[in-house]
Structure formats: structure tokens, C-alpha cells
Amino acid sequence: MRSWSSPSVPELPGTGPVPRIHDTASQGLANAVGHQEGRVGVYVCGITPYDATHMGHAATYVAFDTLQRVWRDAGFEVRYVQNVTDVDDPLLERADATGVEWRELAEEQTNLFRWDMESLGVLPPDEFIAVSEVIDEVAAAVNTLLESGFAYRVPAPNAIEDGATDVYFDVQRAGEQTPWTLGEESNYDRPTMLSLFAERGGDPDREGKRNPLDPLLWLSAREGEPAWDTAVGRGRPGWHIECAVIALQHLDDVTVQGGGSDLIFPHHEMSAGHASALTGKDFACLYSHAGMVAYEGEKMSKSLGNLVLVSKLRAKGVDPRAIRLALLSNHYRSDWEWTAETLSTAEQRLQRWLPLAGVAGAGAEAGAGAGAQGGAGVSEPVAATDLRDRVREHLANDLDAPSALVAIDEWVASHAGAQSPEAVAVINALLGVDLTADPDARPPHHHS
Ligand code: 5CA
Ligand code: ZN
């Protein structure tokens, strides 16, 4: 699919340090490097396109965007792949409940997501792939797993066709015959796995499975649901195999598999298992997870409906750069709660920083006067080498954006009223906030 347009990223003098990030599998910090010199590949799980883009989604994509910026600054060539889960139970249920065709819902919400990402200054993936685009490839992979004995068929009495079967992944066999073992990525014990599996789309009690934790690879056609005729029969893909197949297809080296922490299990554990069974090798070098954003006391989620949407804030006239600063003011790995204060603090911060680009800030009055050019009394530009070094150090240390923001605050406070193209470039390149942009230049809605 079409991705979205890229913001321009200034090249900074010199190179930043190789980032270290937390790896869920080894439970510690690790150098974010793969098997190839100077090149990294990252697969970040994309949205299921409905009720997008809320602050939780946005926080996760801004976190991996920061990683991409830090890698680039450290001299790496980055290849970035992201999927869109346009065929899945919750999306189909929402389409059903609202009487919209699932394809239409997915397309409209994916467009909204593209525009939200663009307005937040998120670098686009090199490959942006909808599941509906890779049905045959997924079916072929499921067929391979059946032939190699890592998958098996289970009778599906609810299917449209008599005698139809669903296909499941044999976790025990994969654990014995591939480099992958259940639990190596999540480090969860079995009771935790069982409860998360049931909570997050799994079916531990399905009759005929060899192991309650065996995940679905292929669902044979059900009444009223989309289905495709493929090498494994008529039906649609399971969830984890889609990400495994897309990642393997577009990345020769998965340096990082990323997403929110709600994907640690079963999604990333099982994607890794599927990939190992297909290739005989380990899947990703590192597994990286962003914390969960809450709102009104609970995880922000489509199922609860406690959502703050990027597009709604934008429609109210909120500067997307303030939204991005609000997201960056929390460490990506922590669980945190979105509040009105999170945003107003970020709006004030943006106002304090704007003078760096010669734009008059509005002091503590959030919003008012933003974008006005400060003409009079322009002083000599101030160098910001020290600031660049500090921001680089903080971000290379497990993407510590909150400390980077504080470092910039301190620098701005000690250079009152200074203009600094160097500082502006650092903030743009590494934090994705362009202080020279005119926030009113972008239309509030995306017309595609
Ligand atoms: N399509 C699947 C991944 S293949 C999916 O999880 N879609 S999603 O729309 O539910 O979420 C998109 C991304 O946002 C995922 O990486 C997910 O982990 C992350 N995410 C969802 N809710 C939150 C939240 N409240 N806080 C932080 N990240 C979140
Ligand atoms: Zn995924």
C-alpha cells in the first residue's frame, strides 16, 4: 500500500552513538544492531484500522520513530516495515455493528492513520503492507507449515463448508525442532500465558487442539466473513502468521520486532515461533515494547472506548508538535496516563522552544500567538554542540526522550531568547519536532 510522505530530517554534524535499547527476551539493555554491518531492519506491528489513531497507538509509533531517527543519526541504513491488520475479528465485528463494509472501514481508518502519522512527523515505513494484500503468501506459508509438520488441521463444524478444517500451529513440536521455544521472548510462565492467550484473541478451549496454547494459523470460511480461495482452502489468515510472513518477506534481517507491550504475548512470541518454523532460524535479534498509555484510569483501548484521538485534538486546533512533545515527555517503556495536563505542559514547552527558530513564543499562554514571527532584535545565532551531545547521549540510552527534553529546557533557560539553528536541527532530526514549521499550513483534514 501507499505509505505516507516523509518529513525532512536534517543531517547533524558527526554521528551519534549506537543506541542501546531494552530487549524483552533477554530482559536487559542491548546494542540495537543486527547481523549486518551498518544496516538494521525493523518490523513494527501496525494498527487494526478502526478507532485509530489514539494516544496509545501514537506513543508506540513515536517511540519507534525515535529509534529510527537515532539509528540514522548513528549512521545506520534503516529498513522499516509495518503491517495493517485489515482482516481480523475486532475490525469485522465493528464493521458488522456499524453496517459499514469492512474494506471501507479499513480504508477510511488507514487514511486517517496516515494523516495522523504525517502530522506527528513520523517517518513512513519503507513497506506498509495490508494483510489483505498478502493472503496468498500467508496461505503458502501455512501450507509449508502443514507439510513440515509444524501445523495441523482441526475440524471446523461452524464453517460454511461441510468437512472444513481450521489450521493450528503446534507449539510443542516447534519448541522441539526449531531454535524457538515457547516463553523465550515473553519470559512468562504458563498460567500467565494461558490467561493472556484467552484475553488477546486466543482460544485455549478449542476442541481438537493438541495444546491449549496452539494459535490459529488459518480460519476456514465462516458465514458473513471475508474469505479467499487459497492453497490451504477457502478462509482467512490467523493473526500472528500475518506479521511473521510480512516481516520475512520484506526484511532479510529483523533487528528489532516492535510494538506495544500488549503484543509481548501471544502475538510476538507466536510470530517468532512461526518464523522460526519457516526458516529454521531465530526471528528477531531484539524484541522491543512500548508501555501502555492509560486514560481515565484504564488502558486506552478500543474495547473500553476511553480514547483520545490524534485527529480530534488536531480538529480542535492543537499543534501536532505539542502532541508529539507530550508523548515524548513520558519514557516509552513506562505505563503512563494521558491527562489534559500532559498536553498543556507540552504546549508550554513548545512555546518556550519556538524562539530558538526565531518564532516568538507565547510564554505560558498555550496556543495564543503561536506561529507569529519574532522580527525585532534578532541576535547572533548560538552554537549548540553541547546540547547535541547531551541529546544524543540520552536517546542512545534506551531512548530516554524525557531526559532529552529536560536537557533542552535547561539549555533554553540558560540561553534566554537565543536563536540557534543548530539546536533547531537537533530537535528536528532527533525528536521529530520542527520549530520552523507553520502549524497552520496543514489542512485539518486529509483529502485523499
Ligand atoms: N494490528 C495489531 C498488531 S499486528 C494491533 O495490535 N493493532 S492495534 O491497533 O490494536 O494497536 C496498534 C499498536 O498500538 C500496537 O503496537 C499496540 O501494541 C499499540 N497500542 C495499542 N493500545 C495501546 C496503548 N493503550 N498504549 C500504547 N500502545 C498501544
Ligand atoms: Zn503484528
Side-chain angles (χ1 to χ4, degrees):
M1 280 190 305
R2 170 173 74 79
S3 180
W4 57 88
S5 42
S6 182
S8 68
V9 182
E11 282 217 17
L12 302 178
T15 46
V18 174
R20 290 171 68 71
I21 61 169
H22 185 267
D23 171 31
T24 303
S26 61
Q27 298 180 288
L29 288 186
N31 284 337
V33 295
H35 302 292
Q36 299 170 344
E37 186 81 27
R39 289 183 61 199
V40 286
V42 54
Y43 183 90
V44 178
C45 282
I47 54 162
T48 303
Y50 70 101
D51 287 347
T53 310
H54 65 57
M55 288 307 149
H57 302 144
T60 291
Y61 297 116
V62 164
F64 290 101
D65 186 57
T66 306
L67 175 60
Q68 199 181 157
R69 287 167 182 275
V70 171
W71 262 331
R72 283 192 185 194
D73 181 54
F76 287 89
E77 190 186 310
V78 185
R79 187 162 164 75
Y80 181 10
V81 179
Q82 188 178 127
N83 69 309
V84 170
T85 309
D86 64 346
V87 184
D88 196 24
D89 298 334
L91 172 90
L92 300 173
E93 283 159 21
R94 172 60 64 86
D96 240 18
T98 52
V100 182
E101 220 249 320
W102 67 270
R103 278 184 193 279
E104 240 170 80
L105 175 63
E107 200 184 309
E108 168 212 304
Q109 292 285 307
T110 305
N111 270 332
L112 192 58
F113 175 71
R114 287 188 180 101
W115 181 237
D116 288 338
M117 290 298 103
E118 217 171 275
S119 70
L120 291 175
V122 173
L123 297 166
D126 299 294
E127 300 288 343
F128 189 46
I129 312 282
V131 177
S132 60
E133 296 178 299
V134 292
I135 301 289
D136 285 335
E137 288 85 343
V138 172
V142 174
N143 221 5
T144 303
L145 293 173
L146 279 165
E147 281 165 4
S148 53
F150 291 115
Y152 59 96
R153 293 182 179 274
V154 171
N158 307 332
I160 297 175
E161 249 171 82
D162 282 342
T165 54
D166 298 331
V167 182
Y168 283 85
F169 184 66
D170 189 330
V171 287
Q172 180 166 345
R173 177 132 185 191
E176 289 161 2
Q177 300 184 5
T178 76
W180 172 87
T181 46
L182 186 65
E184 69 169 26
E185 179 265 343
S186 66
N187 293 291
Y188 293 155
D189 59 20
R190 193 168 173 91
T192 306
M193 287 185 193
L194 279 166
S195 85
L196 289 177
F197 190 76
E199 205 178 289
R200 297 175 180 165
D203 50 359
D205 302 325
R206 170 76 187 262
E207 214 173 300
K209 290 208 301 184
R210 293 175 186 167
N211 185 320
L213 290 173
D214 287 351
L216 180 75
L217 287 167
W218 189 261
L219 185 75
S220 58
R222 301 296 202 268
E223 198 57 56
E225 291 189 0
W228 289 260
D229 284 310
T230 71
V232 271
R234 186 169 173 72
R236 62 177 168 100
W239 178 26
H240 322 304
I241 188 70
E242 103 197 22
C243 285
V245 167
I246 296 171
L248 291 178
Q249 193 178 12
H250 294 284
L251 293 171
D252 45 17
D253 184 37
V254 186
T255 310
V256 170
Q257 155 81 306
S261 61
D262 56 345
L263 300 184
I264 292 174
F265 191 89
H267 188 51
H268 287 174
E269 190 94 59
M270 297 304 180
S271 294
H274 297 344
S276 275
L278 286 166
T279 64
K281 295 190 284 198
D282 279 325
F283 182 43
C285 301
L286 300 160
Y287 296 86
S288 172
H289 294 101
M292 287 293 112
V293 179
Y295 185 56
E296 293 173 339
E298 301 210 59
K299 174 192 164 188
M300 194 178 285
S301 71
K302 306 190 251 215
S303 45
L304 292 171
N306 54 339
L307 307 176
V308 178
L309 298 179
V310 173
S311 53
K312 290 253 168 79
L313 290 185
R314 297 259 300 113
K316 281 193 214 161
V318 175
D319 189 323
R321 297 173 298 179
I323 302 174
R324 183 158 177 133
L325 284 176
L327 300 170
L328 290 171
S329 70
N330 293 276
H331 192 268
Y332 82 99
R333 280 213 298 131
S334 63
D335 296 329
W336 55 278
E337 178 148 359
W338 177 271
T339 65
E341 208 197 330
T342 316
L343 183 59
S344 60
T345 303
E347 286 175 320
Q348 289 161 24
R349 176 172 262 144
L350 179 61
Q351 294 304 320
R352 289 197 308 272
W353 292 7
L354 282 172
L356 291 172
V359 181
E365 292 298 302
Q373 297 294 319
V378 175
S379 48
E380 285 296 297
V382 178
T385 317
D386 53 335
L387 179 65
R388 186 167 66 230
D389 290 345
R390 287 187 68 192
V391 171
R392 275 177 167 160
E393 287 300 329
H394 286 307
L395 293 179
N397 177 23
D398 201 18
L399 310 177
D400 187 355
S403 296
L405 300 191
V406 169
I408 297 165
D409 283 341
E410 287 168 4
W411 195 91
V412 168
S414 61
H415 297 75
Q419 284 192 37
S420 176
E422 275 189 22
V424 168
V426 169
I427 292 167
N428 191 2
L430 296 175
L431 297 172
V433 172
D434 181 2
L435 297 174
T436 65
D438 175 1
D440 301 323
R442 301 181 182 100
H445 299 291
H446 198 213
H447 303 286
S448 55

